[in-house]
Amino acid sequence: AAGVIQSPRHLIKEKRETATLKCYPIPRHDTVYWYQQGPGQDPQFLISFYEKMQSDKGSIPDRFSAQQFSDYHSELNMSSLELGDSALYFCASSLVSSRGGLYNSPLHFGNGTRLTVT
Amino acid sequence: SQQGEEDPQALSIQEGENATMNCSYKTSINNLQWYRQNSGRGLVHLILIRSNEREKHSGRLRVTLDTSKKSSSLLITASRAADTASYFCATDAYNQGGKLIFGQGTELSVKP
């Protein structure tokens, strides 16, 4: 079965540079989530999209932005990179049963992009 | 953590023993989910328990949920070396768009 695809797998950038991470959700999934996981930390929610519209926002710095395109793939854009941005960035997708209703859908995670800022 | 505590933070056992991990959370939830993560890899969904359920089984996994105490436990029976990983609980809270809030995780080491 198709899984969530993230690219690139590894990315090395210098301070103040920009980075773009891509995510291809499982076909027919309507919701995409982005998470950041620092070393030894739990995943922290950044932002989500439902049917290509931003649906929720977490602890995402103003230097970061994201969007979901017409083909449902999503991109996380990160500018003015800082050393503290070094982390694993995960994308996940799910099929949400209905907006405003009960959600009982597991998230399917990609293998992540390891970003190293030097 | 955004959500709560997991304990223990690290657990080391021998193959064949049972492993129990606990999780506490802060908000009212739709469901609670457990995920497994091998080092540097993505999170893999293990089991989902709804807020109106008290116990759920899946193979060697047993999950309990106590909404009055806002806590859950994951039991892995007859552990194997391949179970070595980090285990996270995550809550899907009401009106939160399906996003999951993760606990700090338990690092399980199963020695052969």
Side-chain angles (χ1 to χ4, degrees):
Chain A
V4 176
I5 306 297
Q6 289 188 248
S7 68
R9 187 77 177 90
H10 300 275
L11 190 58
I12 299 174
K13 291 285 185 178
E14 294 187 355
K15 281 194 305 184
R16 292 180 288 277
E17 285 191 320
T18 62
T20 298
L21 280 55
K22 296 185 178 183
C23 169
Y24 297 84
I26 292 173
R28 291 185 294 281
H29 277 190
D30 54 19
T31 307
V32 166
Y33 310 83
W34 285 96
Y35 284 83
Q36 177 192 58
Q37 186 179 29
Q41 302 295 312
D42 54 293
Q44 296 287 312
F45 171 73
L46 293 177
I47 195 167
S48 63
F49 293 86
Y50 171 77
E51 287 290 347
K52 295 165 280 185
M53 298 291 290
Q54 183 182 309
S55 55
D56 203 350
K57 204 168 181 180
S59 47
I60 184 170
D62 292 340
R63 300 177 289 108
F64 294 7
S65 64
Q67 55 183 324
Q68 188 176 26
F69 296 86
S70 57
D71 65 351
Y72 287 86
H73 93 272
S74 179
E75 295 185 1
L76 178 65
N77 298 293
M78 309 158 72
S79 62
S80 302
L81 287 169
E82 302 173 355
L83 295 178
D85 296 328
S86 295
L88 269 170
Y89 290 84
F90 290 106
C91 171
S93 72
S94 72
L95 181 62
V96 170
S97 43
S98 64
R99 293 194 85 179
L102 287 178
Y103 299 91
N104 287 296
S105 305
L107 269 60
H108 299 262
F109 283 81
N111 279 325
T113 294
R114 182 175 293 281
L115 173 66
T116 303
V117 182
T118 62
Chain B
S1 167
Q2 291 179 316
Q3 180 233 53
E5 300 295 319
E6 280 193 52
D7 80 275
Q9 290 191 341
L11 180 61
S12 182
I13 59 175
Q14 295 293 132
E15 238 179 356
E17 294 181 337
N18 295 341
T20 299
M21 289 160 267
N22 302 297
C23 160
S24 62
Y25 58 91
K26 297 175 181 174
T27 62
S28 295
I29 60 172
N30 289 324
N31 63 68
L32 184 143
Q33 304 178 29
W34 284 89
Y35 286 79
R36 166 199 167 118
Q37 183 180 35
N38 287 85
S39 181
R41 306 291 290 181
L43 294 101
V44 176
H45 177 257
L46 295 176
I47 195 165
L48 180 156
I49 186 165
R50 298 178 182 184
S51 60
N52 61 354
E53 297 176 314
R54 293 297 166 256
E55 189 171 312
K56 202 160 183 181
H57 297 254
S58 177
R60 294 183 295 113
L61 305 180
R62 172 178 169 254
V63 168
T64 61
L65 178 64
D66 187 334
T67 52
S68 66
K69 295 180 180 178
K70 290 187 167 59
S71 66
S72 174
S73 67
L74 171 68
L75 168 67
I76 303 175
T77 60
S79 64
R80 305 165 181 168
D83 294 329
T84 296
S86 292
Y87 292 82
F88 293 90
C89 72
T91 52
D92 177 354
Y94 283 126
N95 300 320
Q96 292 296 306
K99 76 182 182 201
L100 295 180
I101 304 299
F102 285 84
Q104 289 182 330
T106 294
E107 194 173 328
L108 174 66
S109 173
V110 181
K111 298 178 180 178

Short mmCIF file of all heavy atoms in Angstrom, two decimals, chain B residues 66-102:
data_model
loop_
_atom_site.label_atom_id
_atom_site.label_comp_id
_atom_site.label_asym_id
_atom_site.label_seq_id
_atom_site.Cartn_x
_atom_site.Cartn_y
_atom_site.Cartn_z
N ASP B 66 -8.38 5.19 31.10
CA ASP B 66 -9.18 5.63 32.24
C ASP B 66 -9.41 7.13 32.07
O ASP B 66 -8.54 7.94 32.41
CB ASP B 66 -8.45 5.32 33.56
CG ASP B 66 -9.31 5.61 34.78
OD1 ASP B 66 -10.23 6.47 34.69
OD2 ASP B 66 -9.06 5.01 35.83
N THR B 67 -10.56 7.50 31.54
CA THR B 67 -10.81 8.91 31.25
C THR B 67 -11.02 9.71 32.54
O THR B 67 -10.80 10.92 32.55
CB THR B 67 -12.02 9.08 30.33
OG1 THR B 67 -13.13 8.38 30.87
CG2 THR B 67 -11.72 8.56 28.94
N SER B 68 -11.43 9.06 33.62
CA SER B 68 -11.61 9.79 34.88
C SER B 68 -10.27 10.23 35.45
O SER B 68 -10.16 11.29 36.07
CB SER B 68 -12.36 8.94 35.90
OG SER B 68 -11.58 7.81 36.29
N LYS B 69 -9.24 9.43 35.19
CA LYS B 69 -7.89 9.76 35.65
C LYS B 69 -7.05 10.37 34.53
O LYS B 69 -5.89 10.73 34.76
CB LYS B 69 -7.18 8.52 36.18
CG LYS B 69 -7.82 7.93 37.43
CD LYS B 69 -7.06 6.70 37.91
CE LYS B 69 -7.72 6.13 39.15
NZ LYS B 69 -7.04 4.90 39.62
N LYS B 70 -7.63 10.46 33.35
CA LYS B 70 -6.90 10.97 32.19
C LYS B 70 -5.57 10.23 32.04
O LYS B 70 -4.48 10.83 31.99
CB LYS B 70 -6.68 12.47 32.27
CG LYS B 70 -7.95 13.30 32.09
CD LYS B 70 -7.64 14.79 32.02
CE LYS B 70 -8.85 15.60 31.54
NZ LYS B 70 -10.04 15.46 32.37
N SER B 71 -5.67 8.92 31.97
CA SER B 71 -4.45 8.12 31.85
C SER B 71 -4.70 6.89 30.98
O SER B 71 -5.84 6.43 30.82
CB SER B 71 -3.95 7.69 33.23
OG SER B 71 -4.86 6.80 33.82
N SER B 72 -3.61 6.37 30.43
CA SER B 72 -3.67 5.18 29.59
C SER B 72 -2.41 4.37 29.84
O SER B 72 -1.38 4.89 30.27
CB SER B 72 -3.75 5.57 28.12
OG SER B 72 -3.67 4.45 27.27
N SER B 73 -2.51 3.08 29.58
CA SER B 73 -1.32 2.24 29.66
C SER B 73 -1.24 1.35 28.44
O SER B 73 -2.27 0.97 27.86
CB SER B 73 -1.33 1.39 30.93
OG SER B 73 -2.38 0.44 30.86
N LEU B 74 -0.02 1.05 28.05
CA LEU B 74 0.26 0.12 26.96
C LEU B 74 1.06 -1.03 27.53
O LEU B 74 2.11 -0.83 28.13
CB LEU B 74 1.06 0.82 25.85
CG LEU B 74 1.62 -0.09 24.74
CD1 LEU B 74 0.49 -0.68 23.90
CD2 LEU B 74 2.60 0.67 23.85
N LEU B 75 0.54 -2.23 27.33
CA LEU B 75 1.23 -3.44 27.76
C LEU B 75 1.65 -4.22 26.53
O LEU B 75 0.84 -4.49 25.66
CB LEU B 75 0.31 -4.29 28.64
CG LEU B 75 0.77 -5.72 28.95
CD1 LEU B 75 2.01 -5.71 29.82
CD2 LEU B 75 -0.34 -6.53 29.60
N ILE B 76 2.93 -4.53 26.47
CA ILE B 76 3.44 -5.42 25.42
C ILE B 76 3.80 -6.74 26.10
O ILE B 76 4.66 -6.77 26.99
CB ILE B 76 4.68 -4.83 24.73
CG1 ILE B 76 4.38 -3.46 24.15
CG2 ILE B 76 5.18 -5.77 23.63
CD1 ILE B 76 5.60 -2.75 23.55
N THR B 77 3.15 -7.80 25.72
CA THR B 77 3.42 -9.09 26.35
C THR B 77 4.47 -9.86 25.56
O THR B 77 4.64 -9.66 24.36
CB THR B 77 2.14 -9.93 26.44
OG1 THR B 77 1.64 -10.15 25.11
CG2 THR B 77 1.08 -9.23 27.26
N ALA B 78 5.18 -10.73 26.27
CA ALA B 78 6.19 -11.61 25.66
C ALA B 78 7.08 -10.82 24.70
O ALA B 78 7.14 -11.12 23.49
CB ALA B 78 5.49 -12.76 24.92
N SER B 79 7.74 -9.82 25.24
CA SER B 79 8.50 -8.90 24.40
C SER B 79 9.61 -9.60 23.62
O SER B 79 10.12 -10.64 24.02
CB SER B 79 9.08 -7.78 25.25
OG SER B 79 10.01 -8.32 26.17
N ARG B 80 9.96 -8.96 22.50
CA ARG B 80 11.02 -9.47 21.62
C ARG B 80 12.05 -8.37 21.41
O ARG B 80 11.74 -7.19 21.56
CB ARG B 80 10.43 -9.87 20.26
CG ARG B 80 9.28 -10.85 20.35
CD ARG B 80 8.53 -10.92 19.04
NE ARG B 80 7.39 -11.85 19.12
CZ ARG B 80 6.44 -11.93 18.20
NH1 ARG B 80 6.49 -11.15 17.13
NH2 ARG B 80 5.44 -12.79 18.35
N ALA B 81 13.25 -8.74 21.04
CA ALA B 81 14.30 -7.74 20.79
C ALA B 81 13.83 -6.74 19.73
O ALA B 81 14.16 -5.55 19.80
CB ALA B 81 15.58 -8.43 20.34
N ALA B 82 13.01 -7.20 18.78
CA ALA B 82 12.53 -6.32 17.72
C ALA B 82 11.54 -5.27 18.23
O ALA B 82 11.20 -4.33 17.50
CB ALA B 82 11.87 -7.14 16.61
N ASP B 83 11.08 -5.41 19.47
CA ASP B 83 10.18 -4.40 20.06
C ASP B 83 10.95 -3.18 20.55
O ASP B 83 10.35 -2.18 20.94
CB ASP B 83 9.39 -4.99 21.24
CG ASP B 83 8.42 -6.08 20.81
OD1 ASP B 83 7.91 -6.01 19.67
OD2 ASP B 83 8.17 -7.01 21.61
N THR B 84 12.26 -3.25 20.55
CA THR B 84 13.10 -2.12 20.97
C THR B 84 12.79 -0.91 20.12
O THR B 84 12.94 -0.93 18.89
CB THR B 84 14.58 -2.48 20.87
OG1 THR B 84 14.88 -3.53 21.80
CG2 THR B 84 15.45 -1.27 21.18
N ALA B 85 12.33 0.17 20.75
CA ALA B 85 11.91 1.38 20.05
C ALA B 85 11.44 2.39 21.09
O ALA B 85 11.42 2.10 22.29
CB ALA B 85 10.77 1.07 19.08
N SER B 86 11.06 3.56 20.62
CA SER B 86 10.39 4.54 21.48
C SER B 86 8.89 4.43 21.24
O SER B 86 8.45 4.26 20.10
CB SER B 86 10.88 5.95 21.17
OG SER B 86 12.22 6.11 21.56
N TYR B 87 8.14 4.54 22.32
CA TYR B 87 6.68 4.43 22.24
C TYR B 87 6.06 5.73 22.75
O TYR B 87 6.41 6.22 23.83
CB TYR B 87 6.20 3.24 23.06
CG TYR B 87 6.63 1.92 22.46
CD1 TYR B 87 7.91 1.42 22.68
CD2 TYR B 87 5.78 1.19 21.63
CE1 TYR B 87 8.33 0.23 22.10
CE2 TYR B 87 6.19 0.00 21.05
CZ TYR B 87 7.46 -0.47 21.29
OH TYR B 87 7.88 -1.64 20.70
N PHE B 88 5.16 6.26 21.94
CA PHE B 88 4.52 7.53 22.27
C PHE B 88 3.01 7.33 22.34
O PHE B 88 2.42 6.67 21.50
CB PHE B 88 4.79 8.58 21.18
CG PHE B 88 6.21 9.03 21.09
CD1 PHE B 88 7.10 8.36 20.25
CD2 PHE B 88 6.65 10.12 21.81
CE1 PHE B 88 8.43 8.78 20.15
CE2 PHE B 88 7.97 10.54 21.71
CZ PHE B 88 8.85 9.88 20.88
N CYS B 89 2.42 7.96 23.34
CA CYS B 89 0.96 8.08 23.31
C CYS B 89 0.63 9.44 22.72
O CYS B 89 1.43 10.38 22.80
CB CYS B 89 0.34 7.91 24.69
SG CYS B 89 0.60 9.27 25.82
N ALA B 90 -0.54 9.54 22.12
CA ALA B 90 -0.95 10.79 21.50
C ALA B 90 -2.46 10.92 21.63
O ALA B 90 -3.18 9.94 21.47
CB ALA B 90 -0.55 10.81 20.02
N THR B 91 -2.90 12.12 21.94
CA THR B 91 -4.33 12.33 22.12
C THR B 91 -4.91 13.17 20.99
O THR B 91 -4.29 14.09 20.49
CB THR B 91 -4.62 13.04 23.46
OG1 THR B 91 -3.81 14.21 23.55
CG2 THR B 91 -4.33 12.13 24.63
N ASP B 92 -6.11 12.79 20.62
CA ASP B 92 -6.91 13.49 19.62
C ASP B 92 -8.02 14.17 20.42
O ASP B 92 -8.97 13.51 20.85
CB ASP B 92 -7.45 12.47 18.62
CG ASP B 92 -8.36 13.08 17.58
OD1 ASP B 92 -8.69 14.28 17.69
OD2 ASP B 92 -8.75 12.36 16.65
N ALA B 93 -7.87 15.48 20.64
CA ALA B 93 -8.80 16.19 21.51
C ALA B 93 -10.01 16.69 20.73
O ALA B 93 -9.97 16.85 19.52
CB ALA B 93 -8.09 17.36 22.20
N TYR B 94 -11.07 16.96 21.46
CA TYR B 94 -12.29 17.48 20.83
C TYR B 94 -12.01 18.77 20.07
O TYR B 94 -11.26 19.62 20.52
CB TYR B 94 -13.36 17.77 21.89
CG TYR B 94 -14.05 16.55 22.40
CD1 TYR B 94 -14.11 16.27 23.75
CD2 TYR B 94 -14.67 15.66 21.52
CE1 TYR B 94 -14.76 15.15 24.22
CE2 TYR B 94 -15.31 14.52 21.99
CZ TYR B 94 -15.35 14.28 23.33
OH TYR B 94 -15.98 13.17 23.81
N ASN B 95 -12.65 18.93 18.91
CA ASN B 95 -12.58 20.17 18.13
C ASN B 95 -11.15 20.60 17.85
O ASN B 95 -10.86 21.80 17.83
CB ASN B 95 -13.33 21.29 18.86
CG ASN B 95 -14.80 20.95 19.06
OD1 ASN B 95 -15.44 20.38 18.17
ND2 ASN B 95 -15.31 21.25 20.24
N GLN B 96 -10.27 19.67 17.64
CA GLN B 96 -8.88 20.00 17.35
C GLN B 96 -8.48 19.57 15.93
O GLN B 96 -7.30 19.50 15.62
CB GLN B 96 -7.95 19.33 18.38
CG GLN B 96 -8.09 19.93 19.77
CD GLN B 96 -7.67 21.39 19.81
OE1 GLN B 96 -6.56 21.74 19.41
NE2 GLN B 96 -8.56 22.25 20.27
N GLY B 97 -9.46 19.31 15.10
CA GLY B 97 -9.18 19.05 13.69
C GLY B 97 -8.44 17.76 13.42
O GLY B 97 -7.89 17.59 12.35
N GLY B 98 -8.44 16.86 14.41
CA GLY B 98 -7.79 15.58 14.18
C GLY B 98 -6.31 15.56 14.47
O GLY B 98 -5.67 14.51 14.38
N LYS B 99 -5.74 16.72 14.81
CA LYS B 99 -4.29 16.71 15.08
C LYS B 99 -4.04 15.93 16.36
O LYS B 99 -4.91 15.82 17.23
CB LYS B 99 -3.76 18.12 15.23
CG LYS B 99 -4.09 18.78 16.54
CD LYS B 99 -3.57 20.19 16.62
CE LYS B 99 -3.90 20.78 17.98
NZ LYS B 99 -3.87 22.25 17.95
N LEU B 100 -2.86 15.36 16.47
CA LEU B 100 -2.48 14.61 17.65
C LEU B 100 -1.48 15.40 18.48
O LEU B 100 -0.60 16.05 17.94
CB LEU B 100 -1.85 13.27 17.27
CG LEU B 100 -2.75 12.27 16.56
CD1 LEU B 100 -1.97 11.00 16.24
CD2 LEU B 100 -3.97 11.96 17.41
N ILE B 101 -1.65 15.34 19.78
CA ILE B 101 -0.70 15.92 20.71
C ILE B 101 0.03 14.77 21.38
O ILE B 101 -0.61 13.89 21.99
CB ILE B 101 -1.39 16.80 21.76
CG1 ILE B 101 -2.22 17.89 21.07
CG2 ILE B 101 -0.36 17.41 22.70
CD1 ILE B 101 -1.42 18.84 20.22
N PHE B 102 1.33 14.75 21.27
CA PHE B 102 2.13 13.63 21.74
C PHE B 102 2.66 13.83 23.15
O PHE B 102 2.95 14.95 23.57
CB PHE B 102 3.32 13.41 20.79
CG PHE B 102 2.94 12.77 19.49
CD1 PHE B 102 2.47 13.53 18.44
CD2 PHE B 102 3.04 11.38 19.33
CE1 PHE B 102 2.10 12.92 17.24
CE2 PHE B 102 2.67 10.78 18.14
CZ PHE B 102 2.20 11.55 17.10
#
